[in-house]
């Protein structure tokens, strides 16, 4: 029997299902609408910003680094653009295989691989690191055709720093290098963080380091539309970078080259100052190094050669090399005697050739010089005079007089890394031997004696000796040495002079200054440097010095032939010219060369000839100076204006991408000698 269906019940169930389904659909539409309202209204600004970020990218525009010029406008540091082949390690599966494959397209030397490994060890894996720099056009084209084979490898346009004269003045100019981890951490915690976005390099030494802020410039930004693959499609907006300022030095680079050439293969330092302003005219440390080696990251082999060399080319001897001043200290001792009243200009000391103190004999000149006054003590360089004077003054009085002159003090020159040297006194020795016994901390009167002739614990830089000389001959007015005299805006070309600080008046009596200056002038006329300054077209003053590198016993005779080269005496000279109105004061040391009159004074003579007479030594004379065989100039000097200045040159074989002028593409000398001996 067939069961009849209940139509009404079925219809009721159907209607209920439709209602539930309708409500479900309606609820779904309400949810969608609510979500749309939430996304389109509530989170509109946030999501719109995210969408814009996905569509666009803000890329930093690294500024051109500022130039460095000498006082005459000669460019000492500049930039050039070139292509680099760079690898992002995190995007490469097999780094070694990739480098080998790249080596079949472009020339990758073992040096490049060593440098890349060093950079990789110092950087994070997501950073782009150069495996080859300064690609040629042909190398760029070869890689571009095969780029699809090398994910994580790309060619980038970069600005490179170039030091066109290589080793010349390298300790002053300094160099830049890749920003290391400690520098990154310092930048990230400073106000400069935004200005270093995209910047890979920073000043590491010299003016490049000390004037980093002025040279770096201001980073710009460029907003670009990107594809799904992250490649730039078009530029939307741009805020250009501002190039760094040009930094102008007080150095005369032609004079700097002359001095470096005169040193030849010898080690040493020279600092020449304008006594009236403190401007540094020459700042020489020999040997030097090529700063271009550091720009791309120096390889291990080159670093070891520089760092382990017995000649220490990386040591800035003018700034950080400390030496006993030897007899160049005597004029300052004489000034201390006059100012303190311990001696008058006419006070006589009998120089018998030695001086006894506490049963110890301090030697001087052979059989002695006989009775000498202050003038003769400087001209003839009497040791006995200054042994006696040191004993009368005492170590504390000497310390207190020499300290304001700048001995044993930081001069405040405008490059980093200066050392203070040693100006000894009782407190200094107690501190030095603070972990030793009380007896070792005690200052003994016998230690004072050899300080008077610039030996003992005395140890100063040539910068300090030059500053003290400048102050002494500038009527006791001391100026802070400075290398940078102005900056220049690269856009407006407006120069901004850096004003010199007011000089410090040491309050010397004019008649006392006159006594010392007269004696120093006599040194060049009748004393130890008379042969060197014979026939000079001006009057100058100076004092030779010979300082111990190692101690020699009182009963032993100094014989350079029996000593290793690095144990021989240092040759020193301090000087100023012209005598009546000094325009330049200098201090020079030639390490382990012997007598100051033979090796240091001839360099000073030619510096004065250059600055005061416009004369440049001929080749024969230059060679004689380098060998320590010159006195007065040999033959006819050349006019400075006639000496050809070497071209700064270019970088051959490098592909140079077009980079706008204002924007870049996005992306152990000496130590204190033992007490005892001092000679002229």
């Amino acid at each position: 029997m067939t069961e009849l269906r209940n139509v009404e019940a079925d219809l009721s169930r159907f209607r209920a299902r439709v209602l539930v389904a309708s409500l479900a659909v309606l609820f779904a539409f309400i949810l969608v609408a609510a979500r749309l309202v939430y996304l389109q209204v509530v989170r509109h600004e946030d999501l719109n910003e995210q969408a814009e970020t996905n569509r666009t990218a803000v890329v930093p525009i690294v500024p051109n680094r500022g130039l460095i010029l000498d006082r005459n406008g000669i460019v000492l540091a500049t930039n050039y653009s070139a292509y680099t082949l760079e690898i992002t390690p995190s995007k490469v599966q097999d780094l070694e295989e990739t480098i080998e494959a790249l080596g079949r397209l472009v020339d990758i030397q073992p040096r490049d691989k060593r440098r890349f490994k060093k950079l990789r060890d110092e950087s994070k894996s997501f950073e782009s690191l150069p495996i080859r720099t300064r690609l040629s056009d042909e190398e760029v084209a070869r890689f571009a055709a095969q780029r699809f084979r090398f994910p994580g490898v790309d060619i980038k346009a970069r600005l490179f720093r170039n030091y066109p004269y290589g080793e010349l003045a390298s300790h002053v100019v300094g160099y830049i290098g890749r920003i290391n981890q400690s520098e990154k951490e310092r930048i990230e915690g400073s106000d400069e963080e935004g200005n270093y976005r995209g910047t890979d390099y920073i000043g590491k030494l010299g003016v490049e380091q000390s004037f980093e802020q002025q040279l770096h410039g201001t980073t710009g930004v460029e907003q670009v539309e990107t594809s799904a693959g992250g490649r730039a499609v078009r530029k939307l907006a741009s805020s250009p970078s501002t190039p760094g300022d040009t930094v102008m030095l007080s150095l005369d680079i032609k004079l700097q080259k002359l001095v470096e050439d005169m040193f030849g293969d010898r080690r040493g330092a020279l600092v020449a100052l304008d006594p009236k302003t403190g401007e540094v005219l020459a700042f020489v440390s020999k040997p030097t190094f090529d700063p271009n080696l550091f720009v791309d990251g120096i390889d291990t082999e080159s670093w070891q050669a520089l760092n382990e060399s017995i000649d220490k080319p990386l040591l800035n001897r003018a700034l950080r090399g400390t030496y006993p001043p030897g007899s160049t200290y005597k004029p300052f001792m004489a000034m201390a005697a006059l100012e303190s009243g311990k001696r008058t200009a006419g006070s006589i000391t009998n120089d018998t050739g030695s001086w006894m103190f506490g049963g110890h004999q301090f030697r001087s000149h052979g059989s002695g010089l006989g009775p000498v006054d202050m003038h003769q003590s400087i001209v003839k360089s009497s040791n006995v005079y200054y042994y006696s004077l040191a004993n009368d003054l005492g170590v504390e009085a000497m310390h207190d007089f020499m300290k304001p002159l700048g001995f044993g003090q930081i001069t405040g020159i405008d490059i980093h890394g200066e050392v203070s040297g040693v100006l000894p006194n009782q407190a200094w020795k107690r501190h030095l031997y603070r972990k030793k016994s009380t007896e070792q901390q005690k200052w003994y009167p016998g230690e004072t004696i050899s300080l008077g002739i610039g030996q003992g614990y005395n140890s100063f830089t040539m910068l300090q000796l030059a500053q003290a000389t400048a102050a002494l001959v500038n009527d006791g007015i001391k100026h802070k040495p400075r290398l940078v005299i102005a900056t220049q805006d690269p856009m407006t070309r407006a120069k901004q002079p850096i004003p010199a600080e007011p000089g410090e008046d040491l309050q010397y009596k004019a008649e006392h200054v006159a006594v010392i200056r007269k004696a120093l002038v006599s040194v060049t006329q009748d004393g130890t440097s008379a042969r060197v300054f014979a026939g000079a077209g001006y009057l100058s003053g100076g004092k030779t010095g010979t300082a111990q590198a190692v101690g020699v016993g009182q009963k032993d005779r100094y014989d350079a032939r029996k000593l290793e080269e690095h144990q021989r005496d240092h040759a020193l000279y301090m000087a100023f010219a012209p005598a009546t109105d000094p325009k330049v004061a200098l201090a020079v040391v030639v390490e382990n060369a012997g007598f100051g009159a033979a090796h240091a004074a001839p360099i000073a003579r030619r510096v004065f000839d250059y600055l005061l007479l416009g004369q440049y030594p001929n080749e024969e004379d230059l060679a004689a100076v380098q060998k320590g065989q010159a006195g007065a100039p040999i033959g006819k000097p050349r006019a400075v204006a006639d000496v050809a200045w070497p071209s700064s040159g270019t970088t051959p074989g490098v592909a140079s991408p077009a980079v706008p002028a204002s924007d870049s593409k996005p992306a152990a000398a000496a130590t204190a000698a033992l007490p005892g001996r001092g000679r002229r």
Side-chain angles (χ1 to χ4, degrees):
M1 205 171 126
T2 306
E3 183 181 355
L4 296 175
R5 298 180 61 183
N6 189 335
V7 177
E8 288 298 328
D10 289 344
L11 187 59
S12 179
R13 286 194 296 271
F14 175 75
R15 286 172 177 163
R17 291 171 184 163
V18 170
L19 179 61
V20 171
S22 298
L23 290 173
V25 171
L26 179 61
F27 182 71
F29 273 108
I30 290 173
L31 287 178
V32 170
R35 183 65 176 169
L36 285 173
V37 170
Y38 174 73
L39 294 175
Q40 295 294 329
V41 178
V42 178
R43 294 198 59 198
H44 175 269
E45 291 186 7
D46 181 41
L47 294 174
N48 184 62
E49 185 178 336
Q50 289 185 33
E52 189 66 17
T53 301
N54 291 333
R55 184 181 72 89
T56 63
V58 177
V59 183
I61 304 175
V62 181
N64 280 9
R65 194 170 178 85
L67 306 180
I68 299 177
L69 313 179
D70 88 329
R71 69 185 302 120
N72 297 312
I74 295 175
V75 178
L76 307 180
T78 184
N79 311 299
Y80 69 92
S81 55
Y83 287 113
T84 65
L85 185 63
E86 302 196 7
I87 300 175
T88 305
S90 63
K91 297 180 179 180
V92 176
Q93 291 185 350
D94 190 330
L95 191 57
E96 293 301 323
E97 184 180 330
T98 298
I99 293 175
E100 289 302 317
L102 287 170
R104 292 189 284 271
L105 290 177
V106 299
D107 182 25
I108 298 178
Q109 295 291 323
R111 176 181 180 274
D112 298 317
K113 295 178 182 179
R114 290 193 298 267
R115 185 184 62 230
F116 179 80
K117 183 180 184 302
K118 185 172 182 289
L119 290 174
R120 188 184 174 198
D121 292 341
E122 297 171 351
S123 308
K124 291 183 170 58
S125 62
F126 57 80
E127 293 181 317
S128 179
L129 305 174
I131 181 68
R132 247 301 304 278
T133 59
R134 312 178 196 188
L135 299 176
S136 67
D137 288 327
E138 184 181 346
E139 288 172 324
V140 171
R142 279 204 302 268
F143 174 79
Q146 300 290 321
R147 176 181 282 167
F148 67 93
R149 294 173 46 203
F150 300 98
V153 184
D154 208 349
I155 286 180
K156 294 188 178 180
R158 298 279 191 185
L159 279 176
F160 286 88
R161 197 64 161 170
N162 181 44
Y163 304 99
Y165 299 108
E167 296 186 358
L168 182 58
S170 58
H171 288 98
V172 176
V173 176
Y175 59 85
I176 65 168
R178 290 186 71 89
I179 298 174
N180 60 36
Q181 192 58 39
S182 64
E183 289 163 340
K184 283 180 185 176
E185 292 171 359
R186 177 176 55 80
I187 291 170
E188 287 170 359
S190 71
D191 296 336
E192 290 291 309
E193 181 176 0
N195 199 33
Y196 277 83
R197 283 190 61 204
T199 298
D200 295 323
Y201 296 89
I202 196 170
K204 299 280 188 176
L205 193 74
V207 172
E208 290 277 29
Q209 179 189 34
S210 300
F211 286 81
E212 168 67 25
Q213 185 175 359
Q214 292 85 346
L215 290 164
H216 179 263
T218 304
T219 299
V221 293
E222 188 176 86
Q223 188 179 30
V224 295
E225 185 176 348
T226 58
S227 66
R231 291 195 174 275
V233 176
R234 63 190 178 98
K235 182 167 70 174
L236 300 176
S238 178
S239 175
S241 63
T242 303
D245 288 344
T246 294
V247 170
M248 309 179 76
L249 307 185
S250 58
L251 285 187
D252 181 334
I253 199 62
K254 206 168 185 178
L255 172 62
Q256 180 88 8
K257 184 179 187 303
L258 170 60
V259 177
E260 291 189 14
D261 286 347
M262 285 192 288
F263 270 94
D265 295 330
R266 299 176 294 178
R267 299 174 303 278
L270 177 144
V271 177
L273 304 173
D274 183 336
K276 294 180 175 59
T277 64
E279 291 180 11
V280 179
L281 306 175
F283 196 86
V284 173
S285 174
K286 285 284 289 186
T288 58
F289 63 93
D290 186 355
N292 291 299
L293 290 172
F294 292 87
V295 174
D296 299 336
I298 190 168
D299 65 279
T300 305
E301 196 174 276
S302 298
W303 170 251
Q304 287 179 340
L306 290 171
N307 197 43
E308 297 175 6
S309 169
I310 192 173
D311 291 329
K312 301 186 182 301
L314 295 177
L315 172 65
N316 187 338
R317 286 168 160 82
L319 193 70
R320 299 180 60 81
T322 59
Y323 307 83
S327 292
T328 62
Y329 205 49
K330 292 174 180 176
F332 304 101
M333 286 291 296
M335 192 69 188
L338 292 172
E339 289 289 307
S340 65
K342 291 292 184 180
R343 296 283 190 280
T344 66
S347 297
I348 301 294
T349 297
N350 188 30
D351 185 340
T352 61
S354 65
W355 197 75
M356 296 297 296
F357 182 84
H360 182 82
Q361 183 186 54
F362 291 84
R363 293 184 303 187
S364 187
H365 304 88
S367 58
L369 300 172
V372 292
D373 61 12
M374 183 172 287
H375 182 92
Q376 292 169 319
S377 76
I378 294 174
V379 177
K380 297 181 179 181
S381 200
S382 168
N383 283 351
V384 167
Y385 187 97
Y386 292 97
Y387 290 145
S388 173
L389 176 58
N391 184 54
D392 290 347
L393 283 170
V395 64
E396 295 301 329
M398 285 191 284
H399 173 275
D400 293 346
F401 181 82
M402 300 300 177
K403 183 177 179 180
L405 276 164
F407 287 115
Q409 315 301 310
I410 298 296
T411 67
I413 192 172
D414 47 358
I415 56 174
H416 301 324
E418 184 181 4
V419 299
S420 60
V422 176
L423 178 64
N425 67 349
Q426 296 177 70
W428 167 85
K429 191 179 181 187
R430 283 195 300 270
H431 179 76
L432 180 67
Y433 293 102
R434 61 191 179 279
K435 296 182 180 180
K436 305 293 184 180
S437 67
T438 305
E439 284 300 307
Q440 288 174 296
Q441 295 178 25
K442 184 180 178 181
W443 185 274
Y444 294 96
E447 294 176 304
T448 304
I449 308 306
S450 49
L451 296 181
I453 62 166
Q455 294 288 165
Y457 294 117
N458 286 326
S459 187
F460 311 127
T461 66
M462 286 303 102
L463 178 59
Q464 291 169 352
L465 182 55
Q467 183 190 39
T469 302
L472 182 63
V473 303
N474 192 39
D475 300 322
I477 307 297
K478 184 181 73 172
H479 289 277
K480 179 188 291 187
R482 62 191 190 122
L483 282 159
V484 177
I485 54 176
T487 60
Q488 184 179 45
D489 188 304
M491 310 301 288
T492 65
R493 302 294 178 185
K495 288 185 181 179
Q496 183 63 45
I498 298 177
E501 295 183 15
E504 178 187 355
D505 191 347
L506 301 180
Q507 301 291 324
Y508 293 159
K509 292 183 179 179
E511 58 269 27
H512 294 164
V513 173
V515 168
I516 306 303
R517 282 174 59 165
K518 182 180 178 182
L520 291 173
V521 170
S522 293
V523 170
T524 68
Q525 303 301 302
D526 309 307
T528 51
S529 62
R531 185 176 71 90
V532 174
F533 284 88
Y538 51 85
L539 273 181
S540 70
K543 183 71 189 79
T544 56
T546 306
Q548 290 175 272
V550 295
V552 176
Q554 286 295 325
K555 296 182 180 180
D556 298 327
R557 182 179 177 83
Y558 175 80
D559 188 345
R561 295 170 297 180
K562 296 180 180 179
L563 295 173
E564 294 291 334
E565 194 264 347
H566 279 74
Q567 296 179 326
R568 296 171 187 166
D569 288 347
H570 303 310
L572 295 98
Y573 193 63
M574 56 83 85
F576 64 95
T580 53
D581 184 22
K583 300 290 193 301
V584 56
L586 62 78
V588 54
V589 60
V590 185
E591 288 183 17
N592 311 115
F595 295 108
H599 295 272
I603 294 176
R605 163 71 191 267
R606 286 146 184 84
V607 169
F608 292 161
D609 286 354
Y610 176 99
L611 290 170
L612 303 179
L613 304 178
Q615 294 179 350
Y616 203 98
N618 58 50
E619 295 296 338
E620 181 186 5
D621 187 38
L622 190 58
V625 174
Q626 291 171 346
K627 297 174 183 176
Q629 298 174 352
I634 300 169
K636 184 179 180 181
R638 296 172 285 181
V640 170
D642 294 339
V643 177
W645 182 246
S647 170
S648 62
T650 57
T651 306
V654 173
S656 299
V659 178
S662 60
D663 305 327
S664 67
K665 282 286 200 180
T671 56
L674 299 174
R677 176 176 53 89
R679 302 197 309 282
R680 288 173 287 178

